[in-house]
Amino acid sequence: MSKYYIEKKEIMEALDVSDSKALAIIRELNDQLKEKGYVTVAAKVSRKYFEEKYYGYGDMYQEGEADCQSERSAG
């Protein structure tokens, strides 16, 4: 398991989807990343991007960082 990329098998397990659906998800996310100018790897997608799109972790990361910064400045 790569900590930077998520592969088909993990997506299948995480979302309870078929092999073909997991590959379609990878292609869709990689297409979105390519449009933003990122380099992608076939049959893998950025774990962080996947988590942001499917679980909304991007908002949580930003909120957590803001909470940590406010705690540091208050302390």
Side-chain angles (χ1 to χ4, degrees), residues 31-48:
D31 287 347
Q32 292 172 9
L33 287 168
K34 284 178 189 176
E35 287 177 14
K36 294 179 180 189
Y38 291 96
V39 176
T40 62
V41 177
K44 299 178 182 183
V45 69
S46 160
R47 182 175 302 278
K48 183 177 178 187

Side-chain angles (χ1 to χ4, degrees), residues 4-65:
Y4 298 110
Y5 292 99
I6 188 167
E7 298 181 15
K8 174 184 70 172
K9 184 177 178 181
E10 280 187 86
I11 291 175
M12 289 173 61
E13 292 171 3
L15 301 179
D16 193 28
V17 296
S18 67
D19 179 271
S20 59
K21 180 63 177 176
L23 287 173
I25 290 168
I26 290 171
R27 279 192 296 272
E28 178 184 346
L29 295 177
N30 277 339
D31 287 347
Q32 292 172 9
L33 287 168
K34 284 178 189 176
E35 287 177 14
K36 294 179 180 189
Y38 291 96
V39 176
T40 62
V41 177
K44 299 178 182 183
V45 69
S46 160
R47 182 175 302 278
K48 183 177 178 187
Y49 191 67
F50 170 80
E51 291 173 350
E52 287 174 359
K53 295 303 260 185
Y54 278 85
Y55 301 124
Y57 286 174
D59 295 334
M60 290 173 58
Y61 290 142
Q62 292 171 358
E63 289 171 8
E65 290 172 5

